[in-house]
Amino acid sequence: MLTWIKQSFARQTGAIMLITGLLLNSLYSFISYQNETRQLEEFIESEARQLTEILALLITDDLRYEKYYDLWDKIIRVKNNYRQQSQHGRLFNIRSIAILDKQEKIAGHTDPQHFPLKSDYASIAPNNVRHGHIFSDYHHEWRDDMSTLLMHIPLRFGDEVIGALLLELDPSPLIKHKKQLITGYVIYQFVLISIILILAMLFAIWIAKPVGLAVRVLDDIGKGNIHLRGLTQRQDEFGKLGEAIEKADQRIFHDTQKLQQQQDELEKNRKLLEQRVQQRTGELEEANKELAAFSYSVSHDLRSPLRAIDGFAQALDEDYEEKLDETGKNYIARIRAGVQRMSNLIDDMLMLSRVSRREIESFPVNLSEMAERIRRRLQEQDPDRPVEWNIARQVRVEGDPHLLEILMTNLLDNAWKYTGKTMEPRIEFGTMDEKGETVYFVRDNGAGFDMKYADKLFGVFQRLHAMGEFEGTGIGLATVARILQRHGGRIWADAQVDKGATFYFTIGERSR
Amino acid sequence: MSKTGITTLSGLLLVIFSSIFISIFSPGSHAHGDEVRPSADKPGVIHDFVITGVVLNSGNARLVEQFVELLGKHSGYRMKARFVSSYDDLSDILRKQPDAIGWTCGVPFVQDRRRDGQQLIGVPLFNGKPLYYSLILAHRDKTEKILSDFRGQVLAYSDPRSNSGFIAPSYVLKKQGIDIKKHFRLLLHTGNHERSIRALLNGLADVAAVDEYVWTAWRRNNPQKARKLRVLQRLGPFPFTPVVAGRAVAEPTLRTLQETLTALPDMPQGRQLLQEFGLDGFVLEKPEFYQPIENMLIELNGLQH
C-alpha cells in the first residue's frame, strides 16, 4: 500500500489530505463528545437535584408527623410515575428512594421488603454514606463507573433537621444516549471520510493530470524526443514549466555540443599521453632489468675474487704466522674483516635484487607463528639475553610467505640488535586498527634513532648508527620497504633516541 | 445535543414533573369547612351524611352517594355524602353540625355519644347479624400464629379510633398483659383498612388488624392478591359500624330515617344497593348494644377521647 502511494504524487497528496482530514475530524469529534457527555451529566445532576428538592418538600411533613404510610405512598408513586416518564426521553430512572429519620432509621423506602420501616439503615446503606454526612447538606456523587448517581439531602422542618432523603438513580438512559452519540459520531465520521476521500481523489486527479503530462514530456526528453505537447499551451505553472523545459533543452543542446568537443580533445590528449607512458614504462622496465641483471652479475661476479682474497689472506695468516709481526697480522685480520663485510653486502644486495625480481605468490600466512620462530632462533643464539617478548597471537595475512619471512626476520633482528645494550629489553609484535586499516608493528625499547633522519631509513646503504656501535649493511630496511611495496603496503617508523623504535607497516588490501 | 437544547428540555421536564406531582398530591376532595352550622331540621336544608374510608372500601363513593340519595328521598331528610379521612374529622363535623348524619365506627360512637349526644339510627346486618370481627392478617409466608407473636415488628392499623383496626387488638393484647404501644417496633397508621392490607402486601407492615367487612369485600375484588395473605386471628364479634345522627336531629326525623333504613330490603333500589354493599339490611338497636365496646374502652382507659 505504502509503495503504491509512494509511486504517485497524486496519491501522496490524496493520502495527506485524507490523513489530515481524519485527524482533525477525530479531534473535533472527541472534544465534541466530551463536551456533550459532560453537558448531559450536568443536566442529569441538575434534574436529579430538582427531583430531590421537590421530593424533600413533599415528604417532610409526613416525616415530621410520622405518617409513614403516606410517606411511602408518595415515594412509591413518584418512583413508579418517574419510571413511566423515563421511558419517554428521561436520562435516568429512580432505582430507589430512602427516607431516614434523625436516628438514621428507615422512615420510608421504595423497597420496604429489603429496607423495613424503622430498621437500621447504616448496615444496608450504600458504601461511604457516612453517618452525619447525609444530614449536613445536599450532596451528589457518581458511583460504580457512573452506573449509579447517589444523592442525599437533609430534610428540615423549620430550622430543625428531622431526617434525610437519599435517592439512588440509574443513569442507564444516559449510557444509552452516550452510545447513540458515539454511533452518531461514527456515522458522521464515515460520511465525512467518504466526502474527504472523494475530494482527495478529485484533487488528486486534478493535480495528477498536468503532473502526468509533465512526467511524460520529461520521459520523452529522456528518450531523446522533445515533444512538449500541450504543456506549453497551459496558462498555469505547468505552462511555465513547459517553457522552462524548452529553454533548458536548448541550453543543454548547446552545452552538450561544447562538451562533446572538449571530450574529443581530451580523448586525443589521453591517447597521446598513454602512448608516452607506455613508451617510458617500456624504457624503464628495460633499464630496470638491465640494472638488476647488472647488480646480480656484479654481486655474483664479485664473490670469486673476494673468495680468492679471503683465501690467500687466510693462507698468509696461517702459513707465515711466524714471519709476520703483529702489524702484519693486524693487516691480514683487517683484510679478512673487510672481505667479510663485503661478502655480507653482496649477500644483502643479492637479497634485495631477488626480492625485487621475484614473482609474488600469495598464501595465507601466520605472522605470529613466524615471529615466534624468529624469537626462538634469536634466543637460542644468545640464551643469556633476558629479552621480554610480547607477540600478538593469530595475526594472519595474505602474502608471499618467503618475502614476509624476510620482512619479519629483518625487523625482529633489528629489534634484537638495537636492544643489545638496553637494560630490561622488550620486543613486541602486534597489530592495531587505524581508520579501519590493520597496521602491524614491531616495537622495541632499544637505541632508537633521531626522527630527523627518518626519511633516510628505508634507502639503500643508509645507516643511522656507527659500524662500531651496531653492525649492519644498511640494506635490511630497504629490503623490507621493497617487500612491502611489492605487496602494495607501506612502512613508517617512530622513534626516540635511547628509548626505542616502532616500525609500523601495512600489507596492502589483502592484509585486511 | 446543544446547551440550549438541554436547557429547553430541562424546563419542559420540570413542567411535566411538577404537573405529575400536582395531579398526584393535590388535596382536592379532602377539604372541608370548619364553621359550625346551626343544627336544625328545616325544610330546604341539605344535611351532610359524613362517612369515612375506614368504614368502606375505596371506589364505593358512587354507591354511597346513591345510598344517601335514596335515604334522603325516602326519609324526606335531604342529604349529601361527605367523605372524610378519619374518625376525628367525622366526630368533629357531627359535633359542629349536630344535624348531620354519619356512618361511623363503634368506638367513636361510644365516645361521641357520651360527649356530644350522638344518636344511634341503625346498625347494618352483615352475614345476617349486626356483628363483625376484627381480623389479624399477615403475609402467607409469616410463621407467627397470633398477634402477640409479632413482637418488635410493624403493625398496620387504619385509625387509632377504629374498633377493629386498633381498639380490639389493643384490648386483646392487654388481656395478655401486653401494651400495644411498646410491643411493636412501629404502629403504622395507614388511614384506612385497605391501606393496611396494601401495607402488608408491599412489605411495609408485618401484621395488620382489619375490619372483617372490608376484608371480605376487598378479597372479593382482589382474589389474587388476597391469596398472598392469611387470617391469623378473628377478634370479636363486635357490634357493627353504626349509622348515627348528630344530637340536633329531631326524634321524628330519626324515626323516619330508621324506617327507611330497615325498609331498604323491601325497595328494589335498596336491595340492589345492599347487595352491592355486601350487607343484608339494617336493624334498630339501643345504644347499649355497644356496651361491649364501651367496656373495652374502659379497660383501655380510652373512653374519654
Side-chain angles (χ1 to χ4, degrees):
Chain A
M1 182 72 178
L2 202 62
T3 314
W4 182 76
I5 290 171
K6 278 180 178 173
Q7 283 170 351
S8 164
F9 172 69
R11 285 174 208 153
Q12 288 169 25
T13 311
I16 289 166
M17 279 181 71
L18 193 63
I19 291 165
T20 310
L22 275 177
L23 284 175
L24 288 175
N25 193 42
S26 300
L27 187 68
Y28 169 75
S29 296
F30 176 75
I31 292 168
S32 300
Y33 173 74
Q34 292 286 335
N35 281 342
E36 292 238 6
T37 48
R38 185 60 220 145
Q39 280 179 18
L40 278 172
E41 284 162 22
E42 284 172 1
F43 173 61
I44 283 184
E45 287 162 11
S46 160
E47 275 285 288
R49 178 161 191 162
Q50 284 181 29
L51 170 66
T52 313
E53 285 173 350
I54 291 170
L55 253 176
L57 281 174
L58 202 70
I59 47 106
T60 302
D61 280 1
D62 292 329
L63 179 64
R64 171 67 181 80
Y65 296 112
E66 299 182 351
K67 292 181 180 176
Y68 298 118
Y69 187 90
D70 290 340
L71 194 150
W72 170 80
D73 196 43
K74 285 174 184 172
I75 60 174
I76 202 77
R77 283 198 210 192
V78 166
K79 188 193 170 196
N80 293 340
N81 279 283
Y82 202 84
R83 192 170 53 210
Q84 284 159 18
Q85 285 297 316
S86 70
Q87 290 167 358
H88 302 285
R90 286 279 173 195
L91 294 175
F92 59 83
N93 297 318
I94 297 173
R95 202 173 275 154
S96 70
I97 303 171
I99 315 295
L100 308 186
D101 64 15
K102 254 197 304 199
Q103 286 76 39
E104 219 173 312
K105 303 271 186 192
I106 293 168
H109 199 286
T110 46
D111 181 11
Q113 307 271 7
H114 296 99
F115 296 85
L117 278 172
K118 289 291 171 184
S119 60
D120 191 5
Y121 183 71
S123 59
I124 42 180
N127 293 335
N128 304 329
V129 173
R130 295 183 301 280
H131 181 79
H133 181 47
I134 51 174
F135 299 112
S136 60
D137 204 354
Y138 166 80
H139 176 76
H140 77 265
E141 62 182 88
W142 292 90
R143 291 180 166 214
D144 307 327
D145 197 20
M146 298 201 74
S147 63
T148 299
L149 176 60
L150 188 73
M151 7 224 346
H152 47 81
I153 189 170
L155 297 172
R156 289 193 173 85
F157 190 84
D159 293 334
E160 186 192 359
V161 174
I162 60 166
L165 164 67
L166 280 88
L167 245 85
E168 197 179 324
L169 303 178
D170 163 26
S172 53
L174 168 72
I175 292 159
K176 192 178 160 194
H177 195 82
K178 274 186 176 179
K179 283 180 183 166
Q180 285 172 345
L181 264 180
I182 291 169
T183 310
Y185 279 124
V186 168
I187 294 168
Y188 167 69
Q189 284 276 353
F190 180 76
V191 170
L192 208 70
I193 287 164
S194 304
I195 292 169
I196 292 172
L197 193 63
I198 290 165
L199 285 176
M201 282 168 68
L202 288 173
F203 181 76
I205 291 164
W206 176 69
I207 198 99
K209 198 178 168 185
V211 170
L213 185 60
V215 169
R216 279 196 297 277
V217 166
L218 291 170
D219 193 39
D220 286 348
I221 291 170
K223 290 171 184 169
N225 306 318
I226 309 296
H227 296 298
L228 293 176
R229 299 185 184 176
L231 202 59
T232 48
Q233 292 169 359
R234 292 181 69 99
Q235 304 293 312
D236 53 15
E237 286 81 355
F238 290 97
K240 288 177 184 167
L241 176 68
E243 288 169 13
I245 290 169
E246 207 166 24
K247 281 181 191 168
D249 178 58
Q250 287 169 1
R251 181 65 186 265
I252 288 166
F253 179 73
H254 180 258
D255 289 351
T256 308
Q257 275 189 326
K258 207 172 172 181
L259 275 171
Q260 190 61 43
Q261 285 173 357
Q262 288 172 347
Q263 200 177 346
D264 291 346
E265 204 165 327
L266 278 171
E267 183 62 19
K268 197 174 155 190
N269 290 334
R270 188 186 67 77
K271 282 179 178 168
L272 195 63
L273 276 172
E274 206 169 279
Q275 278 176 356
R276 284 185 186 168
V277 166
Q278 277 179 352
Q279 190 184 342
R280 293 279 189 278
T281 307
E283 288 169 5
L284 271 173
E285 278 176 354
E286 193 60 32
N288 257 346
K289 277 179 187 169
E290 283 174 10
L291 191 63
F294 171 73
S295 172
Y296 181 81
S297 63
V298 165
S299 305
H300 193 264
D301 292 350
L302 282 175
R303 277 191 181 281
S304 297
L306 208 56
R307 269 199 300 273
I309 292 168
D310 189 50
F312 283 112
Q314 188 182 3
L316 199 62
D317 188 33
E318 288 169 5
D319 298 345
Y320 296 90
E321 187 185 5
E322 294 170 358
K323 294 178 182 175
L324 288 171
D325 60 4
E326 283 306 311
T327 306
K329 287 177 184 175
N330 184 30
Y331 287 160
I332 290 171
R334 288 173 75 174
I335 289 166
R336 290 199 69 187
V339 167
Q340 188 59 45
R341 270 187 59 215
M342 194 163 179
S343 177
N344 289 343
L345 265 171
I346 290 166
D347 287 346
D348 286 353
M349 281 176 73
L350 279 171
M351 173 76 78
L352 180 60
S353 176
R354 277 198 294 274
V355 162
S356 302
R357 287 186 299 148
R358 181 186 165 84
E359 283 294 320
I360 298 285
E361 289 180 337
S362 196
F363 295 99
V365 176
N366 190 328
L367 290 183
S368 301
E369 286 177 2
M370 206 174 264
E372 185 59 30
R373 276 199 306 277
I374 297 164
R375 179 192 73 79
R376 277 201 300 273
R377 176 179 57 78
L378 290 168
Q379 207 62 67
E380 280 165 11
Q381 284 172 8
D382 192 352
D384 297 333
R385 272 193 66 187
V387 177
E388 182 188 331
W389 287 85
N390 189 1
I391 297 169
R393 302 178 68 159
Q394 299 300 325
V395 179
R396 294 167 187 276
V397 296
E398 283 274 335
D400 189 305
H402 179 69
L403 295 185
L404 291 176
E405 179 90 33
I406 295 168
L407 177 141
M408 289 299 286
T409 304
N410 267 297
L411 289 175
L412 290 171
D413 279 1
N414 275 355
W416 175 267
K417 182 165 67 182
Y418 291 112
T419 51
K421 295 174 182 175
T422 306
M423 300 289 288
E424 298 180 357
R426 275 195 320 277
I427 299 172
E428 185 183 359
F429 167 65
T431 66
M432 55 190 263
D433 187 90
E434 194 173 278
K435 296 175 184 173
E437 187 180 27
T438 305
V439 174
Y440 310 88
F441 63 85
V442 173
R443 182 178 289 139
D444 65 64
N445 63 341
F449 56 85
D450 192 340
M451 280 299 284
K452 68 183 176 186
Y453 304 117
D455 56 331
K456 293 180 179 176
L457 264 180
F458 304 104
V460 184
F461 305 126
Q462 297 293 337
R463 299 200 74 248
L464 302 184
H465 299 274
M467 228 10 233
E469 204 175 356
F470 295 104
E471 283 186 355
T473 59
I475 298 173
L477 283 178
T479 307
V480 166
R482 183 66 54 85
I483 290 168
L484 289 171
Q485 187 192 357
R486 299 287 316 272
H487 279 82
R490 57 201 165 88
I491 184 163
W492 68 98
D494 186 23
Q496 228 177 325
V497 175
D498 293 333
K499 289 195 175 170
T502 306
F503 287 86
Y504 301 95
F505 60 95
T506 64
I507 311 183
E509 288 299 313
R510 281 179 293 184
S511 67
R512 291 189 181 180
Chain B
M1 192 184 292
S2 67
K3 188 90 180 174
T4 318
I6 288 178
T7 312
T8 311
L9 183 57
S10 169
L12 188 63
L13 291 172
L14 182 61
V15 169
I16 293 167
F17 189 75
S18 307
S19 307
I20 293 163
F21 273 79
I22 290 163
S23 64
I24 295 170
F25 302 110
S26 58
S29 60
H30 302 299
H32 55 80
D34 285 341
E35 76 278 16
V36 179
R37 283 206 244 146
S39 58
D41 186 4
K42 295 174 185 172
V45 175
I46 299 172
H47 307 279
D48 280 339
F49 186 99
V50 190
I51 192 161
T52 164
V54 184
V55 175
L56 293 169
N57 278 335
S58 62
N60 276 359
R62 182 193 55 81
L63 211 56
V64 170
E65 280 168 356
Q66 287 175 1
F67 171 73
V68 171
E69 192 185 338
L70 184 70
L71 202 59
K73 188 175 151 191
H74 284 271
S75 66
Y77 196 72
R78 294 182 64 193
M79 291 175 287
K80 66 171 174 56
R82 180 170 174 181
F83 298 91
V84 293
S85 58
S86 69
Y87 289 126
D88 278 353
D89 289 346
L90 190 147
S91 299
D92 200 39
I93 290 169
L94 260 71
R95 186 180 309 122
K96 290 173 181 171
Q97 298 169 215
D99 56 345
I101 310 297
W103 194 344
T104 187
C105 179
V107 171
F109 168 65
V110 168
Q111 290 169 334
D112 294 347
R113 178 173 168 264
R114 183 177 282 267
R115 186 172 64 179
D116 303 328
Q118 259 181 26
Q119 306 174 79
L120 180 62
I121 300 176
V123 184
L125 284 170
F126 177 56
N127 293 329
K129 291 178 184 172
L131 300 171
Y132 78 122
Y133 288 87
S134 165
L135 305 182
I136 303 302
L137 297 178
H139 205 276
R140 189 158 286 281
D141 299 338
K142 289 280 183 184
T143 54
E144 290 82 350
K145 290 187 170 55
I146 56 171
L147 181 62
S148 57
D149 291 345
F150 287 88
R151 181 184 166 81
Q153 299 190 46
V154 177
L155 169 70
Y157 69 97
S158 56
D159 192 290
R161 294 174 73 200
S162 163
N163 177 53
S164 56
F166 194 74
I167 300 301
S170 300
Y171 178 75
V172 168
L173 287 176
K174 181 153 189 179
K175 283 287 174 193
Q176 291 178 254
I178 297 168
D179 183 349
I180 195 168
K181 289 180 180 167
K182 294 177 181 169
H183 191 62
F184 295 98
R185 184 169 85 242
L186 176 70
L187 294 171
L188 181 67
H189 179 190
T190 60
N192 63 48
H193 293 297
E194 258 194 283
R195 284 163 47 133
S196 295
I197 295 168
R198 199 173 157 214
L200 282 181
L201 285 169
N202 287 294
L204 208 58
D206 302 295
V207 63
V210 175
D211 186 315
E212 182 194 14
Y213 167 66
V214 174
W215 166 249
T216 305
W218 187 86
R219 190 176 56 181
R220 191 169 55 240
N221 295 331
N222 303 278
Q224 296 278 352
K225 290 180 183 172
R227 273 196 279 277
K228 294 179 181 171
L229 303 178
R230 191 159 57 96
V231 178
L232 298 183
Q233 272 180 287
R234 288 160 62 89
L235 312 180
F238 303 105
F240 203 18
T241 52
V243 176
V244 299
R247 63 178 152 72
V249 175
E251 179 67 25
T253 305
L254 206 64
R255 253 199 312 277
T256 311
L257 287 167
Q258 285 175 335
E259 283 165 8
T260 310
L261 276 178
T262 50
L264 281 176
D266 304 326
M267 302 175 210
Q269 197 185 351
R271 269 200 306 278
Q272 175 70 26
L273 281 171
L274 284 171
Q275 193 185 339
E276 287 190 43
F277 272 130
L279 296 173
D280 300 318
F282 283 85
V283 290
L284 304 182
E285 297 284 356
K286 291 190 184 305
E288 292 72 28
F289 180 64
Y290 287 91
Q291 191 58 46
I293 291 178
E294 190 164 337
N295 292 341
M296 285 198 301
L297 285 172
I298 290 165
E299 278 213 41
L300 291 168
N301 298 320
L303 197 57
Q304 302 293 331
H305 177 67

